[in-house]
């Protein structure tokens, strides 16, 4: 039975059902009874496997098709009325043409299947910043993941009300998981997303990247707010004061890790704590007091499993101990639990690797093979996280003191620097570059420009997005957060990361929050303000080989590398033609002069 009287929802569901022709329609109310029944059905059809319910209560395992393990950027489209509105960094298709093409693929695609109608809220129920979406899917796996990642069920329809048309329509069918006919298509002007022939995370959990970034960035531009690929964390100082920061890093570059950071001993003993508000997406808007506020539109973590362990990210690991869905990790058949690279030093002997073959995990690893896919993930409820912020559900969000950009740069970018001002900060975000990772299909480890970590997620012309950022800065005036850039990934001559990273990133955050609140000194360099090496607290890092000299090296700015970068930025900016905001051209000219 329909869960809403809203005629806009009912009409769209009716049209979608007429097109896809499912045998049944199930409205997802979010009740435990319904979720339990769906979980059982998903197990019965072999879509998910129950894990050891004593060690991992409420946890399940899912394996995707081998061709369907990451976002597919080359099959992701922004279908604005004109190509120019999508801009030079997005794939564009004519909305009418692609609708006609995909309508053929959707026609009857759910015959013999059930359509699940999922109402959900992105953002705390009742928050003025929250927005409602409805996803129609033929995958129970999607329903179960959306239950973790969003506020799902009747409450979302209650929030939408009986007349509003302000909801995002998401249609997903796994169809035949045919990579040749895989499409992730966005119609920002219609609040609509069409996804077909995938069953992997970012392609199918339509509340996440498709809505909360691509559609929402477009809505934010029109409505005066921002949707960003950013974590949100609170740093509690010994005096109990909490300062909030957001950070944008590209996929698989350390957002979840930083969001759940455990400060090193020297900080912990003084009383520093880190609280997690979000690990992937932030929606930001100026509050009544003039400051910039952020909410996390999500309700769970879709985190990268490999590399997660008790030392690197204890809080993430704890979050996955119950009510979690694991996708494409390895199975430890001895006790029906999970394993992934770097979980510990003991790959299971009796293992099932992510593609499904039973192997001797020790021999398999000795051959240099992965047991878990490098982009294998856990879907874990945020409330499982030991350091989840008490502000997690605050409808107002949290006030932001600093915005941090970063990526994987082997050489050019120093450990940390601060932008001279907001306008320069927008420039710093616009020139972000990072080595590609396994989070998207394609080559790994090549440097590409990824402005604001939004290259794959901006729902309109990136140059207009930069102009939007410049405008927001003008609105915020002297209440604007300070902007910083970090790089945990500089490598030495041996190719290894120099900075220990993870919990030790607290040492850099410390300088950032003190600097952002006017309590720390800085020196001016060609690219921005930097701490003096002695301003980075390295107490306790001697055993990791981190000395003052190493920090000096990590903070060094190699002008010849930056001259090279300027060339790359010029090429990149040229793509935007006269849409490029003149402020950014001026910033580039100034940088060029400073690094000469
Ligand atoms: P998405 O969910 O794809 O958006 O990724 P993310 O940005 O949340 O990245 P995540 O925190 O999951 O980290 C991805 C990978 O980077 C993992 O393998 C981590 O172990 C590694 N990593 C995270 N932080 C650090 C760090 O400070 N130093 C180093 N060397 N590696 C890190
Ligand atoms: C990312 O790739 O940035 C992710 C995972 O957070 S996905 O949901 O696939 O987008
Ligand atoms: Mn992400």
């Amino acid at each position: 039975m329909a869960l809403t009287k809203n005629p806009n929802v009912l009409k769209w569901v009716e049209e979608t059902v007429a097109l896809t022709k499912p045998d049944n329609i199930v409205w997802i109310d979010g009740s435990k009874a319904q979720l339990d029944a769906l979980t059982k059905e998903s197990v019965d059809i072999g879509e998910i496997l129950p894990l050891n319910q004593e060690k991992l209560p409420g946890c399940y395992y899912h394996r995707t098709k081998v061709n369907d393990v990451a976002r597919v950027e080359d099959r992701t489209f922004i279908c604005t009325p004109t190509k120019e509105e999508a801009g030079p960094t997005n794939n564009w298709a004519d909305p009418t043409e692609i609708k006609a093409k995909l309508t053929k693929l959707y026609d009857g695609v759910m015959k013999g299947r059930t359509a699940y109608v999922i109402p959900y809220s992105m953002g705390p129920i009742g928050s003025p910043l929250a927005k409602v979406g409805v996803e129609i899917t033929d995958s129970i796996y999607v329903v179960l993941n959306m239950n973790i990642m969003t506020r799902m069920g009747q409450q979302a329809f209650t929030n939408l009300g009986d007349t509003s048309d302000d909801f995002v329509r998401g249609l997903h069918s796994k169809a035949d998981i045919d990579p040749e006919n895989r499409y992730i298509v966005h119609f920002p002007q219609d609040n609509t997303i069409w996804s077909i022939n995938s069953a992997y995370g970012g392609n199918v959990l339509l509340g996440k990247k498709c809505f909360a970034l691509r559609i929402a960035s477009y809505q934010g531009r029109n409505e005066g707010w921002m949707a960003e690929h950013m974590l949100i964390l609170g740093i509690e100082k010994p005096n109990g004061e909490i300062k909030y920061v957001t950070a944008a890093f590209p996929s698989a570059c350390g957002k979840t890790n930083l969001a759940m950071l455990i400060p090193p001993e020297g900080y912990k003993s003084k009383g520093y704590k880190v609280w997690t508000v979000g690990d992937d997406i932030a929606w930001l808007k100026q509050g009544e007091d003039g400051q910039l506020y952020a909410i996390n539109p999500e309700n769970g973590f879709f985190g990268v499993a490999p590399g997660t362990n008790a030392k690197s990210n204890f809080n993430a690991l704890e979050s996955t101990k119950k009510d979690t869905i694991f996708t494409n990790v390895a199975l430890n058949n001895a006790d029906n639990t999970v394993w992934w690279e770097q979980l510990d030093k003991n790959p299971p002997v009796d293992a099932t690797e992510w593609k499904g073959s039973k192997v001797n995990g020790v021999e398999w690893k000795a051959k240099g093979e992965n047991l878990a896919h490098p982009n294998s993930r856990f879907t874990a409820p945020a409330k499982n996280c030991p350091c989840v912020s008490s502000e997690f559900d605050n409808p107002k969000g949290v006030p932001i003191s600093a915005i941090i950009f970063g990526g994987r740069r082997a050489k050019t970018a120093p450990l940390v620097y601060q932008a001279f001002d907001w306008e320069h900060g927008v420039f710093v975000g616009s020139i972000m570059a990072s080595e590609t990772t396994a989070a998207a299909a394609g080559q790994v480890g090549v440097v590409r420009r990824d402005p604001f970590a939004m290259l794959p997620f901006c729902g309109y012309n990136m140059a207009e997005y930069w102009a939007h950022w410049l405008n927001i800065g003008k609105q915020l005036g002297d209440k604007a957060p300070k902007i910083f850039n970090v790089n945990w990934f500089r490598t030495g001559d041996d190719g290894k990361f120099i900075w220990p990273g993870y919990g030790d990133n607290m040492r850099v955050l410390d300088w950032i929050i003190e600097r952002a609140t006017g309590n720390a000194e800085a020196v001016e360099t060609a690219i921005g303000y930097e701490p003096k090496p002695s301003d980075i607290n390295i107490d306790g890092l001697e055993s990791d080989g981190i000395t003052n000299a190493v920090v000096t090296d990590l903070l060094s700015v190699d002008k010849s590398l930056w001259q090279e970068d300027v060339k790359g930025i010029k090429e990149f900016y040229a793509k935007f033609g006269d849409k490029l905001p003149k402020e950014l051209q001026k910033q580039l000219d100034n940088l060029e002069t400073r690094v000469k």
Side-chain angles (χ1 to χ4, degrees), residues 170-246:
L171 169 57
H172 165 248
S173 174
K174 55 192 175 184
D176 306 315
I177 325 244
D178 170 9
E180 302 299 320
N181 282 306
R182 184 167 297 155
Y183 290 94
I184 320 298
V185 177
H186 307 71
F187 304 99
Q189 66 284 1
D190 300 333
N191 276 347
T192 296
I193 307 156
W194 281 7
S195 163
I196 191 161
N197 276 305
S198 173
Y200 167 77
N203 299 330
V204 302
L205 308 179
L206 300 184
K208 194 174 177 57
K209 294 313 198 325
C210 299
F211 175 177
L213 289 178
R214 298 195 190 98
I215 300 285
S217 60
Y218 181 94
Q219 295 176 324
R221 191 259 315 253
N222 295 333
E223 298 166 9
W225 53 282
M226 306 195 287
E228 301 297 334
H229 194 199
M230 290 178 173
L231 67 93
I232 310 165
L233 65 81
I235 299 161
E236 181 172 339
K237 301 211 280 185
N239 65 5
E241 192 184 24
I242 304 182
K243 294 288 174 198
Y244 294 92
V245 308
T246 64

Side-chain angles (χ1 to χ4, degrees), residues 368-426:
E369 299 281 348
N370 284 326
L371 279 169
H373 187 274
N375 192 38
S376 54
R377 301 255 169 182
F378 53 80
T379 319
K383 64 174 186 303
N384 279 3
C385 182
C387 61
V388 68
S389 165
S390 59
E391 303 302 298
F392 185 82
D393 285 314
N394 186 337
K396 267 179 69 181
V398 293
I400 301 303
S401 300
I403 294 173
I404 306 172
F405 299 124
R408 293 177 184 259
R409 291 305 296 270
K411 299 290 170 205
T412 314
L415 182 62
V416 59
Y417 67 99
Q418 182 193 0
F420 295 121
D421 52 33
W422 181 275
E423 191 179 294
H424 181 231
V426 175

Side-chain angles (χ1 to χ4, degrees), residues 38 90 252 282 302 304 309 314 433 488-489 574 581 584:
L38 285 173
N90 278 315
F302 186 61
V304 179
N309 59 52
F314 173 84
W488 318 136
F489 299 95
L584 297 186

Side-chain angles (χ1 to χ4, degrees), residues 357-522:
S357 337
K358 284 207 167 197
V359 296
N360 177 321
V362 177
E363 290 170 7
W364 189 253
K365 298 271 350 144
K367 283 197 290 188
E369 299 281 348
N370 284 326
L371 279 169
H373 187 274
N375 192 38
S376 54
R377 301 255 169 182
F378 53 80
T379 319
K383 64 174 186 303
N384 279 3
C385 182
C387 61
V388 68
S389 165
S390 59
E391 303 302 298
F392 185 82
D393 285 314
N394 186 337
K396 267 179 69 181
V398 293
I400 301 303
S401 300
I403 294 173
I404 306 172
F405 299 124
R408 293 177 184 259
R409 291 305 296 270
K411 299 290 170 205
T412 314
L415 182 62
V416 59
Y417 67 99
Q418 182 193 0
F420 295 121
D421 52 33
W422 181 275
E423 191 179 294
H424 181 231
V426 175
F427 173 71
V428 169
S430 79
I431 67 167
M432 270 171 67
S434 192
E435 292 155 23
T436 50
T437 65
Q443 214 185 336
V444 168
V446 291
V447 175
R448 70 167 183 184
R449 294 277 152 206
D450 188 351
F452 292 75
M454 285 289 278
L455 183 72
F457 307 121
C458 187
Y460 61 106
N461 191 311
M462 183 69 79
E464 283 171 16
Y465 164 91
W466 296 333
H468 182 49
W469 263 79
L470 290 166
N471 284 336
I472 294 278
K474 286 189 194 114
Q475 264 174 44
L476 291 167
D478 60 6
K479 297 231 165 87
K482 301 292 186 280
I483 299 181
F484 298 81
N485 194 87
V486 299
N487 179 22
W488 318 136
F489 299 95
R490 251 203 200 182
T491 52
D493 295 336
D494 59 0
K496 291 200 175 123
F497 299 125
I498 303 170
W499 180 247
Y502 301 101
D504 289 310
N505 294 333
M506 179 66 210
R507 301 165 189 276
V508 176
L509 285 182
D510 181 13
W511 182 75
I512 288 176
I513 52 161
E514 294 306 335
R515 180 74 190 154
T517 50
N519 301 318
E521 300 285 306

